[in-house]
Amino acid sequence: MSTETESIVTAEAGSRSMRRGMRELRRAEGGGKVPASAGRRAHGRRETLAGYGFLVPWLIGFLGLTVGPMIYSLYLAFTRYNLFTEPEWVGFDNFVRMFTDDPNYMQSVQITLVYVLVGTPIKLAAALGIALLLNYRNKGSGFFRSSFYAPSLIGASVSVAIVWRAMFSTNGPVDSSLSLFGIELGGWVGNVALVLPMMILLAVWQFGAPMVIFLAGLKQVPAELYEAAEVDGAGPMRKFWSVTIPMLSPVIFFNLLLETINAFQVFASAFIISNGSGGPAGMTNFYTVYLYKRGFADLQMGYAAAMAWVLVIVVAIIAFILFKTQKSWVHYAGENR
Amino acid sequence: MSTTTDVPRAEFAEIATNAGPPRRRRMKRSSVNTIIWFVVLLAFTAIVLYPLVWLLFSTFKPSSEFGQNPGLIPDNPTIENYIKVAEGIGGTPLWQFFANSLFIAVMAVIGTIISSALAAYAFARIRFKGVGVLFAAMIGTLLLPFHVIIIPQYIMFNKLELVDTYWPLILPKFLATEAFFVFLIVQFIRNIPRDMDEAARIDGAGHIRIFFSIIVPLIKPALITSAIFTFIWTWNDFLGPLLYVNSPEKYPLPIALRLYNDATSTSDYGATVAVSFLALLPILIFFIVFQRFLVAGVATQGLKG
Amino acid sequence: MFNIRKRRAAAAAAALTASAALVLTGCAGGGSEEAGATYDPDEKVTLNLAFWGNDVRAALYDEAITAFNEEYPNITVNSSFLGFPEFWEKRQTEAAGGGLPDVMQFDYSYLRQYSENGLLLDLEPYLGNIIDTEPLSENILQIGVVGGETTGIPTSTNAWGMYTNPKLLEQVGVEEFGGGSWEDYDDWMKEVTDAAAAAGVELWGGTDYTGRIQNFEIQQRAKGEDLFTDEGEPNFTEEDLAEFWEQADTIRTDGTVIGQQRLEEVYPLSGFDAALTASELTWDNFGAGYLGNLGESYTELGLVEPPVTEEGAQDLYLKPSMLHSIASTTEHPEAAATLVNFLVNSPEAGAAFGTNRGLPASETMLEGAELDPLGQQIADYEASIQDRLGDAPPVPIVGYGTLEEKFRLIGQELGYGTLTVDEAVDQFFGEMDVVLNQ
């Protein structure tokens, strides 16, 4: 991510003046024997040593547990591999089949895109909205925080499938409540048009993780900034837009990026609710559900690996674009820009 | 600093700048606001909690009612499910599964916090050759669906003869393989003004001292958040233990509760929901206890100005 | 046919060699390395045993293993169990990464795949000595043979049948299905559905049977053709399949069978489990599950023959509900075979399992089993269809599970109307292409 380096470089520029001051100080003390460039080089070496020192555990994990398997899966993407016999090189066959000869793949891509584009903004808006509400007053906040997080605790167990199916079945709570408003949709579970919305609502219901991260971010906003804005005569809306949002932007960026990635990889909830089938009529056959079925049920590991890498590339492009945009809206207090 | 009290900042600012006669009216309006706020939140809470309440009530339904009675109240309430669950599964007592889950989750929390915070500090605060590339690589690991690296990882752990131990579940946590947490903490560190560590550096402090005495206290909310997530996600993890743990007496809860379901014979939904409800309680307690410390972050922030 | 004879001869030869070996070891006073096919009872061995099932089955295995240990105290059995899908997910990973358990409960649809890749031990050397073949009929043993090697021993058998719900039928006043053609079955279902509608009961005559590949299979077998040849080539045309799916057009559209939407709501239960349909075509070992899921107010089920495609045709067959296999990597093949023999043949195992794993295939195990009324009903059923039982089809092709699931999903989409029959046939043949070219 070149943006990353850029922002670090900018940040460095910010503190350069201070460091220059330090160098001058040192030179004054030590009689200026050490040339500035040598000092900088020594400093750079020390930094590099420190950097890699802090990164040791991560590097071991990255090189040992992630890089190898990743490269291997990239290789598998160009093979036919049924887990039992040696992979057989087939070139781009898997990719060709994916885009030209697999109606299920195309359907899977479509519903996944809808899920990401509709579900993620709603989930984030809900998480931010509730986080702001929780942050507004402190009464009973422990209770509320816990309540809103509770749905996320249950993860994607069999129980979620049982509960969610019951909520959306014919004459279930959702159906009955909507009937009160004269909306007669019947059960959602078996309705091909309503299953996807049902899955999106499940994701929104489990908005605890981004909410907690927003809350932690809100706690980091220094009160002085609100006081200053107050002195400048800012109203609640102004304070929200000119203090809260900019100060929260690194966290918003984090949640947006991660929730988007997670939504693309939605698996457990759909898998469990459809009992691994991706049904009805393929409407919960999200990308990774389909990938999993191809890999582990149908033993087409090569095809599954190819699917995975198409997903990686698409999500990487989206992540890259998000990183590019962060310069214009994400504000890091520690990197004075 | 006055911010160390728990007065929410918006309100605090309001009061602070509006001393004098208008204050009482302000207060009145503020308490009306509080009531509206309370009611709105309560309504949201009710909606969000309803499915969980339904789950609680359904633990008292006999298995045959599942799929037939979507209502809240059981037609034939029974505590049979709990009695059955208390017997354990296949000769392993129920508490054993709880103990297994607890052990794995606690180790995972310790590992994740230490390794992720160290890595995050390097990414956020140390400028060295290759940091950009490594950071990009770290983000890259988030993008790959985990399914495709399962097989190679399994082969590796099998060669190391670590299958049917907890090592494949815990070791990766000590190696910061969950990029999510590294990235989360990076974001928080980058939001901390640099003046403090620059000052410490002028005083001759090295990275280790800066990390432990300045950064760690300031990123407590992020660390607590990471701890909570790690605990809960590990507690709920299904695929990892499924692949790496063979002996039933080593199973954690998510696997144990699947043992009541078998598509090829009968599925005991009553027992399933009863176990999952019981499994929910420890993490609920864990969350309720630790979410307080999210708030505690405010105090540390306040000292900083 | 030739194949079978060859195998039989091989078995006989093996049995001979083995008994000769027994005699030899007897003379030599035991402990001969060459014997191979015997287990030394003094050897301390630990075996891993894996099976799928729920907590109930796990308790039964515990009981059986306890009985096993009374006889063989030096074999320690570490058993582990999971639900069906998880069980296979774990096995696939182990198969790829090494480390299959010594003894496994095995499923027919995976047998070819694991056998052809050399993951399962050829049991030939143990047949007739460690593994008693006397109580197992030849066509039962034949089921576990892939490519000339015996890699699985069936524990039990099941046959395709039709369950009906007498209580619901009585409620709406319709007689039990008295047999007949598929059209007769359609009419009977319509009668039930109409009667239920008139009585104001939410009940249908049955489920769209064209969603199950087994119904297609028995219709094809009635024509004298298995779905796949011995070589694993498909043995049916696009027209056959289209015709099969089209025959249910009427019952799908006129509401005779339960709608896909309603079925989806009760899934993973079936319509029959949820008391929403009066009949279901399925394997006859599903009865216990149905009774369990229907709840305590249902105490008996009807079990009758599936509709007849062609009078006098041998369209049905006995399928192993599960088998026992040994991993080729096991370090203790003799001990493992001893355990398999116990789990497959012993009256003690019969006493422990009853019909939990299906109707015991081995006579000795069946003797030990105390059949509950349902078990007896299944035994009677399998005896009654004797005339319709033909040879079992070849061991399912690699990827059969994928095709079976695809068939089910396509059936669903036909029910929803999101696919036309032509599109469905296209999709199925497309999938089959991929599977066969693996």
Side-chain angles (χ1 to χ4, degrees):
Chain A
M1 307 283 129
S2 66
T3 353
E4 194 50 37
T5 2
E6 253 166 51
S7 62
I8 287 170
V9 171
T10 341
E12 187 164 7
S15 55
R16 202 171 290 150
S17 57
M18 182 178 279
R19 209 162 320 113
R20 200 185 306 131
M22 284 163 64
R23 256 204 314 277
E24 270 157 20
L25 200 71
R26 225 184 295 140
R27 207 177 299 154
E29 280 169 0
K33 272 173 204 158
V34 187
S37 60
R40 193 188 293 154
R41 219 179 299 135
H43 175 77
R45 256 202 310 278
R46 260 207 322 277
E47 288 292 282
T48 304
L49 204 67
Y52 283 95
F54 272 86
L55 276 184
V56 162
W58 178 80
L59 272 173
I60 296 173
F62 178 68
L63 296 174
L65 293 171
T66 318
V67 169
M70 268 174 105
I71 293 171
Y72 188 60
S73 80
L74 182 60
Y75 159 70
L76 287 183
F78 295 94
T79 65
R80 186 186 294 148
Y81 178 44
N82 67 6
L83 288 185
F84 295 90
T85 44
E86 288 299 301
E88 177 195 339
W89 186 265
V90 294
F92 282 92
D93 277 11
N94 289 325
F95 297 94
V96 172
R97 176 178 150 212
M98 210 177 296
F99 292 114
T100 60
D101 201 24
D102 188 348
N104 293 330
Y105 178 79
M106 285 303 164
Q107 187 200 18
S108 174
V109 167
Q110 267 173 21
I111 61 165
T112 307
L113 282 177
V114 172
Y115 183 83
V116 172
L117 295 177
V118 178
T120 311
I122 297 179
K123 183 178 185 178
L124 287 179
L128 181 58
I130 297 290
L132 285 168
L133 269 179
L134 286 178
N135 205 44
Y136 177 62
R137 292 282 192 277
N138 251 25
K139 294 183 180 62
S141 61
F143 166 75
F144 285 127
R145 246 195 312 266
S146 305
S147 303
F148 286 117
Y149 195 84
S152 311
L153 291 174
I154 168 167
S157 69
V158 187
S159 300
V160 162
I162 294 173
V163 170
W164 215 244
R165 284 176 155 271
M167 292 300 115
F168 288 88
S169 62
T170 311
N171 296 326
V174 173
D175 186 23
S176 316
S177 318
L178 289 176
S179 303
L180 291 181
F181 300 98
I183 306 168
E184 300 286 351
L185 290 175
W188 293 36
V189 180
N191 189 327
V192 179
L194 291 175
V195 175
L196 193 51
M198 181 183 97
M199 293 306 300
I200 290 174
L201 284 177
L202 175 57
V204 174
W205 183 56
Q206 300 191 321
F207 68 98
M211 178 196 76
V212 165
I213 294 169
F214 277 136
L215 266 177
L218 284 168
K219 301 295 177 204
Q220 251 199 346
V221 181
E224 299 89 319
L225 290 181
Y226 288 106
E227 287 163 38
E230 195 85 15
V231 171
D232 290 350
M237 282 311 278
R238 265 287 300 283
K239 277 190 283 182
F240 176 72
W241 286 109
S242 56
V243 179
T244 311
I245 291 292
M247 289 308 289
L248 209 53
S249 58
V251 173
I252 297 177
F253 175 70
F254 175 86
N255 273 336
L256 178 64
L257 183 68
L258 266 296
E259 288 300 325
T260 306
I261 293 173
N262 281 344
F264 268 108
Q265 297 183 3
V266 54
F267 175 74
S269 58
F271 189 80
I272 283 181
I273 284 198
S274 71
N275 234 11
S277 73
M283 291 311 285
T284 57
N285 198 17
F286 293 113
Y287 201 95
T288 49
V289 174
Y290 188 49
L291 182 156
Y292 177 86
K293 273 175 26 182
R294 281 306 188 193
F296 281 88
D298 303 347
L299 300 182
Q300 301 170 11
M301 256 307 158
Y303 192 65
M307 281 185 66
W309 276 92
V310 170
L311 181 65
V312 169
I313 290 164
V314 169
V315 180
I317 291 170
I318 290 169
F320 181 77
I321 293 170
L322 282 174
F323 269 102
K324 275 282 175 208
T325 64
Q326 73 165 336
K327 208 174 179 181
S328 63
W329 65 277
V330 181
H331 170 86
Y332 292 100
E335 294 167 8
N336 350 337
R337 276 191 282 150
Chain B
M1 261 316 282
S2 44
T3 21
T4 46
T5 58
D6 268 0
V7 182
R9 279 163 310 284
E11 192 185 24
F12 163 80
E14 222 166 79
I15 296 167
T17 48
N18 289 286
R23 185 173 167 172
R24 200 176 303 148
R25 208 169 58 229
R26 282 271 181 172
M27 285 297 274
K28 209 167 169 189
R29 207 180 80 194
S30 157
S31 63
V32 170
N33 279 350
T34 304
I35 291 169
I36 297 173
W37 168 84
F38 194 76
V39 169
V40 169
L41 263 188
L42 217 53
F44 280 128
T45 314
I47 297 172
V48 162
L49 283 188
Y50 182 80
L52 293 179
V53 174
W54 188 93
L55 178 69
L56 170 62
F57 276 74
S58 71
T59 61
F60 299 102
K61 289 180 182 172
S63 276
S64 55
E65 248 180 67
F66 288 85
Q68 292 176 24
N69 173 16
L72 182 66
I73 310 297
D75 291 338
N76 303 298
T78 168
I79 55 161
E80 204 55 45
N81 296 328
Y82 286 99
I83 295 174
K84 178 170 179 191
V85 158
E87 287 168 4
I89 309 168
T92 308
L94 191 64
W95 66 264
Q96 180 80 55
F97 300 121
F98 278 88
N100 295 341
S101 280
L102 189 68
F103 176 76
I104 301 172
V106 168
M107 295 306 282
V109 167
I110 296 170
T112 302
I113 297 291
I114 296 173
S115 62
S116 304
L118 286 173
Y121 178 77
F123 283 129
R125 278 295 203 256
I126 309 178
R127 259 159 258 121
F128 57 98
K129 261 210 173 75
V131 64
V133 175
L134 289 177
F135 186 82
M138 192 262 303
I139 296 296
T141 61
L142 281 171
L143 308 181
L144 194 70
F146 62 94
H147 303 108
V148 290
I149 56 174
I150 288 174
I151 300 278
Q153 278 189 358
Y154 180 87
I155 295 174
M156 209 152 59
F157 280 117
N158 193 37
K159 288 235 167 80
L160 295 171
E161 297 194 3
L162 292 177
V163 170
D164 206 27
T165 70
Y166 291 145
W167 283 110
L169 307 177
I170 294 169
L171 187 67
K173 310 282 178 180
F174 278 88
L175 300 176
T177 46
E178 295 246 26
F180 177 90
F181 296 113
V182 180
F183 187 33
L184 176 72
I185 301 172
V186 165
Q187 291 299 87
F188 275 84
I189 296 180
R190 288 168 69 180
N191 214 19
I192 296 169
R194 272 172 194 269
D195 10 348
M196 283 183 90
D197 31 327
E198 292 293 356
R201 180 160 308 187
I202 293 171
D203 289 349
H207 281 298
I208 294 174
R209 252 196 50 207
I210 294 176
F211 175 71
F212 280 107
S213 52
I214 297 176
I215 299 296
V216 168
L218 288 178
I219 55 167
K220 250 189 208 151
L223 295 183
I224 299 282
T225 311
S226 303
I228 291 175
F229 287 173
T230 307
F231 190 89
I232 292 164
W233 292 349
T234 314
W235 186 270
N236 284 330
D237 183 25
F238 175 73
L239 199 60
L242 171 68
L243 295 179
Y244 292 115
V245 181
N246 293 332
S247 317
E249 69 273 10
K250 288 183 193 158
Y251 285 167
L253 278 163
I255 303 217
L257 75 91
R258 287 279 186 102
L259 299 179
Y260 291 109
N261 291 280
D262 175 33
T264 58
S265 51
T266 40
S267 288
D268 194 338
Y269 293 114
T272 307
V273 285
V275 176
S276 26
F277 194 79
L278 292 176
L280 199 58
L281 293 179
I283 39 176
L284 190 61
I285 293 166
F286 181 87
F287 185 83
I288 290 173
V289 169
F290 282 91
Q291 53 90 17
R292 291 168 200 285
F293 296 103
L294 290 170
V295 185
V298 182
T300 10
Q301 284 291 306
L303 288 171
K304 192 185 62 191
Chain C
M1 221 42 224
F2 173 69
N3 214 359
I4 292 170
R5 199 162 299 157
K6 200 171 80 185
R7 204 206 60 80
R8 244 184 174 165
L16 261 176
T17 335
S19 45
L22 272 176
V23 173
L24 277 175
T25 45
C27 293
S32 160
E33 287 293 317
E34 273 81 61
T38 52
Y39 160 68
D40 171 10
D42 292 331
E43 188 189 354
K44 286 227 187 279
V45 168
T46 300
L47 293 176
N48 292 316
L49 164 72
F51 58 93
W52 69 87
N54 55 9
D55 53 320
V56 177
R57 181 173 295 160
L60 304 181
Y61 263 100
D62 269 354
E63 201 182 320
I65 290 165
T66 308
F68 177 71
N69 279 337
E70 276 169 23
E71 211 172 319
Y72 301 96
N74 286 324
I75 301 181
T76 311
V77 180
N78 288 334
S79 63
S80 69
F81 72 107
L82 290 164
F84 187 81
E86 296 88 32
F87 176 91
W88 287 107
E89 177 171 347
K90 197 169 165 65
R91 296 291 92 75
Q92 317 276 47
T93 314
E94 286 170 349
L100 284 171
D102 299 288
V103 178
M104 290 164 278
Q105 180 178 302
F106 225 79
D107 188 65
Y108 200 34
S109 59
Y110 289 93
L111 191 65
R112 183 182 288 271
Q113 185 139 38
Y114 281 68
S115 301
E116 286 184 349
N117 288 295
L119 293 160
L120 300 181
L121 190 70
D122 183 7
L123 302 175
E124 204 72 59
Y126 312 103
L127 292 178
N129 48 79
I130 292 183
I131 299 174
D132 193 1
T133 48
E134 198 85 330
L136 294 159
S137 72
E138 179 56 35
N139 62 5
I140 296 271
L141 275 175
Q142 191 54 39
I143 290 170
V145 177
V146 181
E149 290 186 351
T150 303
T151 51
I153 309 284
T155 61
S156 43
T157 55
N158 48 35
W160 198 243
M162 185 160 97
Y163 274 104
T164 58
N165 190 324
K167 186 178 168 185
L168 293 174
L169 287 176
E170 195 187 295
Q171 199 180 335
V172 296
V174 178
E175 294 281 307
E176 172 76 89
F177 178 58
S181 67
W182 292 91
E183 288 76 34
D184 296 335
Y185 179 47
D186 291 350
D187 294 341
W188 179 83
M189 285 197 289
K190 189 159 174 49
E191 193 188 336
V192 175
T193 306
D194 291 347
V201 184
E202 192 193 20
L203 175 72
W204 288 265
T207 311
D208 176 7
Y209 49 84
T210 56
R212 299 290 297 269
I213 199 169
Q214 286 81 4
N215 289 317
F216 181 50
E217 183 178 31
I218 63 172
Q219 292 199 6
Q220 286 297 107
R221 277 171 63 92
K223 296 187 209 164
E225 281 160 3
D226 283 318
L227 290 185
F228 295 92
T229 63
D230 279 338
E231 289 73 41
E233 293 295 318
N235 206 13
F236 56 95
T237 64
E238 301 192 3
E239 289 71 41
D240 290 334
L241 190 53
E243 198 183 311
F244 174 72
W245 275 328
E246 273 159 8
Q247 71 177 295
D249 272 352
T250 332
I251 55 168
R252 266 200 295 268
T253 45
D254 73 356
T256 296
V257 292
I258 184 172
Q260 210 42 249
Q261 177 152 356
R262 195 72 187 91
L263 273 180
E264 192 61 42
E265 286 188 354
V266 296
Y267 190 74
L269 294 184
S270 70
F272 193 81
D273 281 311
L276 292 170
T277 61
S279 70
E280 182 146 302
L281 283 151
T282 187
W283 296 109
D284 61 9
N285 60 337
F286 270 59
Y290 287 149
L291 277 182
N293 289 328
L294 279 165
E296 281 162 9
S297 53
Y298 295 84
T299 48
E300 55 162 357
L301 297 172
L303 175 56
V304 298
E305 284 180 37
V308 176
T309 315
E310 192 76 55
E311 209 55 62
Q314 294 190 319
D315 52 349
L316 304 178
Y317 62 93
L318 290 180
K319 165 189 157 312
S321 50
M322 53 191 74
L323 308 99
H324 272 298
S325 296
I326 300 177
S328 56
T329 48
T330 182
E331 285 168 20
H332 313 287
E334 295 84 10
T338 308
L339 177 60
V340 166
N341 180 53
F342 190 88
L343 290 174
V344 167
N345 278 324
S346 72
E348 290 89 344
F353 290 112
T355 51
N356 178 280
R357 302 187 300 175
L359 192 67
S362 148
E363 279 165 31
T364 42
M365 183 153 99
L366 187 60
E367 273 162 29
E370 201 169 309
L371 297 185
D372 54 8
L374 183 68
Q376 191 57 52
Q377 192 180 3
I378 295 169
D380 293 345
Y381 169 71
E382 290 191 12
S384 76
I385 55 170
Q386 212 60 41
D387 291 343
R388 273 180 80 174
L389 288 179
D391 284 335
V395 177
I397 59 163
V398 173
Y400 183 78
T402 304
L403 292 179
E404 188 180 346
E405 173 70 0
K406 183 79 188 169
F407 204 95
R408 195 182 69 79
L409 293 177
I410 286 178
Q412 247 186 28
E413 295 217 28
L414 288 171
Y416 274 116
T418 46
L419 279 184
T420 65
V421 167
D422 287 343
E423 285 165 348
V425 171
D426 260 7
Q427 276 204 18
F428 189 77
F429 272 79
E431 191 66 41
M432 202 156 64
D433 235 24
V434 176
V435 166
L436 293 175
N437 290 322
Q438 283 255 1

